[in-house]
Amino acid sequence: MPTLPITKENPPTAKLACVMVGLPARGKTYVARKVARYLAWLGHHSRIFNVGNYRRETVGAKQKHEFFDPKNPKFAKRRMEVAMTALEDMLNWFEHGCSSLDIPKPNGPQSPSTHWPTTVNGKNAGGAGAGGAGWVGIYDATNSTKERRKVIYDACVAKGIQVMFVESICDKQDIILANVKEVKISSPDYVGWDPEKAVEDFMTRIAHYESAYQCLGPEECDGKIPYVKLINVGDQVIVNKVRGYLQSRIVYFLMNLNITPRSFYFSRHGESVYNLQGKIGGDSDISPRGEAFAKRLPGLIKDNLGVETRLTVWTSTLKRTRQTAAFMEWPQVQWKQLDELDSGVCDGMTYEEIEVRFPNDYLERDEDKYNYRYHGGESYRDLVQRLEPIILELERHHEPDHSIMIVGHQAVLRAIYAYFLNYSLEELPYIKIPLHAVVKLTPKAYGCLEERFTVDIPAVDTHRPKGAASPTLAPLRKLPETTDQRMSTSQLDGPAMVAHLPVFRSMSSLEADRTYASSPRPS
Ligand code: ATP
Ligand code: F6P
């Protein structure tokens, strides 16, 4: 995908620095990553500048708690220098655009990154509103004093960058201790440490920060700062002077976040009559094999429900998803938003027919599948916008013993799956979501656990790789002899499916810093 340079004709439409504030182990990095992923998924340019990573790269990972003591002038100066390097990098990123990606980084070479121009079929969509791209740098550090925040605020404002602070406050000791145990002692800071000693050291580190911590207040930075305070994981949310599209979207997203452990289940509808005929779109019935899958689905889900005792099934309004869910006894909700990508004038055609009747469109779609909008229909970009309420609803869902299952469509599930697993917008339209398989995702602090289940009912392969002929020309997928086997994503590509353990998809924090800028996913 060609990158549009930042020029007068193609200016970055909105620049926002989201500055995290909070004591250690208050979920700042967690929130930063969530926000970055959400914005990248919506087509904005987002990038995290994690000061902890800069520290590890420049002064080394294994610093004991003394390094964080504000009363130690030598270390305080060192920490300030590291924080300023990260700030400088963020300002450079805003100034030159990540498109150049030659900004020197202390944390290693940049992976190439493509930034999605805000175009729809070649035309600039403009604005940083719902259809336009904004630039959001997330400055992830404790930023625990008014003085430090003022430095950051002034530096950004001098460069025409809006600033919004996001403070996470948590005084629930059980949550803090759980956070330390879950993510902190397994960080590079404590490699090779005895876990108990590591917890002790981290708690002392927190105490150092507490000794100098100043909560955000409306009087700071000349009383002009927009901020949002998340108190005790969203029990209370305080919003101050938040304005504009990007800031409001981020605040609304933050208000829906929670950390309750839960899993989501996703399945495409059973094979449809149109799938068999190689046709796209429409509202056809499921085939006899699709119905066989539908009958097996309740048992498969029951067998694989974890601690959840309740389930709600979401379908689209189209017949094939409703027919697939027909044998499930759990409560069901139909969402218009979950309807398949609208293929406009091509609805009901095969790919061969489209190639003959709309040869230019056929090629254009292959060139830029994410942005290509069918005449009278939608693009993947449109679909992502349409699915935003679904994502927010999934994020908001916080009943620990209650899961959601979505019986959806290929394009729709690609978009949802890409959100949870941080696929780039280029990869999104090509993600493999086969028929007659169920994906279970369990979000974790810094990643997602993925399990896949399948049943031995054959189905056509509807995945069409870039530039390939119609997928229906491909032979039927070879399916295993046994039933309800678990498999990994990679094994879906192979000829046989072997029972396989769940896959944990994590990103190291360095990778995350690079990946969220809509860049290709690291292999
Ligand atoms: P540090 O300053 O040491 O980098 P941090 O504040 O960035 O710490 P994280 O690494 O993000 O802390 O902590 C992750 C943990 O925080 C996860 O276990 C996650 O469940 C939890 N968490 C997420 N959001 C919140 C929140 N709003 N308040 C408290 N904990 C949270
Ligand atoms: O202690 C937590 C931490 O994330 C460190 O890893 C990092 O060096 C520091 O906070 C960055 O924040 P500060 O601006 O306080 O130095």
Side-chain angles (χ1 to χ4, degrees):
M1 164 57 50
T3 308
L4 270 198
I6 305 303
T7 60
K8 253 197 250 159
E9 292 70 40
N10 180 46
T13 45
K15 296 176 183 175
L16 173 67
C18 221
V19 180
M20 305 305 300
V21 177
L23 290 166
R26 265 50 180 192
K28 297 184 300 298
T29 300
Y30 174 93
V31 167
R33 288 176 179 211
K34 284 275 205 185
V35 169
R37 182 155 55 87
Y38 166 71
L39 292 172
W41 183 74
L42 281 175
H44 301 291
H45 309 286
S46 67
R47 186 179 178 103
I48 300 172
F49 296 82
N50 179 300
V51 177
N53 287 338
Y54 280 75
R55 168 183 54 84
R56 279 183 274 276
E57 287 292 323
T58 52
V59 295
K62 294 185 179 166
Q63 302 295 332
K64 291 203 182 134
H65 68 80
E66 291 84 3
F67 184 77
F68 304 94
D69 184 350
K71 290 189 282 303
N72 184 321
K74 185 176 134 210
F75 290 144
K77 182 167 172 277
R78 197 70 195 95
R79 286 194 293 116
M80 183 65 174
E81 284 164 3
V82 170
M84 291 304 105
T85 309
L87 179 62
E88 230 170 83
D89 275 359
M90 184 172 75
L91 296 176
N92 276 340
W93 179 75
F94 275 121
E95 193 166 328
H96 304 293
C98 352
S99 54
S100 64
L101 277 192
D102 46 11
I103 308 161
K105 293 279 296 171
N107 56 0
Q110 298 287 344
S111 58
S113 170
T114 34
H115 290 282
W116 288 85
T118 312
T119 55
V120 173
N121 292 354
K123 293 188 188 73
N124 198 315
W135 295 71
V136 182
I138 304 179
Y139 187 74
D140 181 14
T142 54
N143 301 316
S144 50
T145 62
K146 289 183 185 177
E147 190 192 352
R148 172 75 68 89
R149 296 194 285 266
K150 177 93 171 90
V151 171
I152 298 165
Y153 181 85
D154 288 346
C156 291
V157 169
K159 301 253 179 192
I161 300 158
Q162 302 167 23
V163 182
M164 179 171 78
F165 289 97
V166 178
E167 182 177 25
S168 175
I169 296 175
C170 181
D171 59 12
K172 294 195 172 164
Q173 288 310 311
D174 53 332
I175 294 183
I176 297 164
L177 194 62
N179 290 351
V180 171
K181 287 185 176 161
E182 189 189 357
V183 291
K184 293 301 158 193
I185 63 170
S186 52
S187 91
D189 291 6
Y190 293 107
V191 174
W193 278 60
D194 167 62
E196 271 182 35
K197 292 242 161 27
V199 170
E200 203 181 303
D201 184 83
F202 200 87
M203 296 311 265
T204 316
R205 185 196 291 197
I206 294 179
H208 287 315
Y209 277 100
E210 264 166 344
S211 69
Y213 190 76
Q214 296 170 305
C215 281
L216 259 173
E219 76 293 344
E220 275 182 51
C221 307
D222 310 322
K224 290 184 196 143
I225 48 167
Y227 66 74
V228 50
K229 266 179 202 269
L230 306 170
I231 301 171
N232 287 332
V233 206
D235 275 1
Q236 221 189 332
V237 180
I238 298 172
V239 182
N240 185 67
K241 287 193 165 41
V242 163
R243 295 196 178 93
Y245 174 79
L246 279 173
Q247 293 183 18
S248 325
R249 284 252 61 87
I250 294 170
V251 170
Y252 186 55
F253 177 71
L254 292 175
M255 289 172 78
N256 284 288
L257 286 187
N258 72 82
I259 56 171
T260 311
R262 61 252 152 99
S263 300
F264 303 116
Y265 297 81
F266 305 110
S267 170
R268 287 175 66 189
H269 52 80
E271 181 189 70
S272 73
V273 172
Y274 263 26
N275 290 152
L276 276 173
Q277 296 168 345
K279 292 180 177 174
I280 64 169
D283 190 14
S284 69
D285 294 312
I286 51 177
S287 72
R289 293 195 303 199
E291 188 174 335
F293 171 70
K295 287 184 175 153
R296 292 280 291 282
L297 202 46
L300 191 153
I301 299 299
K302 264 184 208 144
D303 288 352
N304 290 297
L305 272 182
V307 289
E308 313 89 354
T309 50
R310 290 189 297 145
L311 186 79
T312 300
V313 180
W314 295 357
T315 66
S316 74
T317 63
L318 298 171
K319 274 193 288 184
R320 53 196 185 275
T321 62
R322 291 187 285 121
Q323 289 172 357
T324 305
F327 302 97
M328 302 217 257
E329 285 162 9
W330 296 283
Q332 297 191 13
V333 179
Q334 281 176 31
W335 288 79
K336 182 76 185 151
Q337 276 98 332
L338 287 173
D339 283 2
E340 182 55 313
L341 181 96
D342 182 349
S343 42
V345 293
C346 296
D347 191 80
M349 292 185 194
T350 63
Y351 290 111
E352 290 96 330
E353 278 166 349
I354 299 172
E355 191 176 7
V356 171
R357 292 187 55 187
F358 303 103
N360 291 341
D361 286 80
Y362 189 78
L363 290 176
E364 250 181 59
R365 188 159 200 259
D366 257 356
E367 296 230 315
D368 185 357
K369 194 173 172 191
Y370 182 79
N371 281 303
Y372 173 81
R373 178 184 284 151
Y374 280 107
H375 295 287
E378 289 177 305
S379 63
Y380 268 89
R381 181 182 286 280
D382 297 329
L383 177 66
V384 161
Q385 304 293 333
R386 153 150 81 83
L387 287 170
E388 193 196 10
I390 298 282
I391 293 297
L392 287 172
E393 203 52 28
L394 291 174
E395 287 290 3
R396 197 181 65 77
H397 178 77
H398 63 276
E399 291 164 60
D401 59 345
H402 184 180
S403 275
I404 303 282
M405 166 151 196
I406 297 184
V407 180
H409 303 266
Q410 178 160 252
V412 164
L413 292 182
R414 276 179 177 148
I416 296 173
Y417 183 86
Y419 167 80
F420 281 104
L421 293 167
N422 191 36
Y423 276 85
S424 75
L425 304 185
E426 293 152 294
E427 292 169 300
L428 184 157
Y430 294 100
I431 295 172
K432 288 186 180 173
I433 312 272
L435 289 165
H436 300 184
V438 174
V439 177
K440 177 180 182 182
L441 296 183
T442 308
K444 301 279 175 191
Y446 289 170
C448 209
L449 187 71
E450 175 179 355
E451 293 161 87
R452 289 203 179 204
F453 311 96
T454 188
V455 292
D456 58 347
I457 296 161
V460 287
D461 180 357
T462 61
H463 182 268
R464 180 183 169 273
K466 196 174 173 127
S470 169
T472 49
L473 300 178
L476 290 185
R477 286 188 301 132
K478 192 174 166 200
L479 284 136
E481 302 291 303
T482 52
T483 56
D484 299 357
Q485 294 208 31
R486 205 174 266 198
M487 59 197 176
S488 78
T489 317
S490 56
Q491 284 167 327
L492 282 168
D493 304 337
M497 290 176 223
V498 183
H500 194 82
L501 288 173
V503 184
F504 179 68
R505 301 197 178 263
S506 71
M507 280 164 294
S508 81
S509 45
L510 282 180
E511 282 170 334
D513 286 351
R514 297 188 197 119
T515 312
Y516 286 126
S518 302
S519 59
R521 203 156 179 273
S523 53

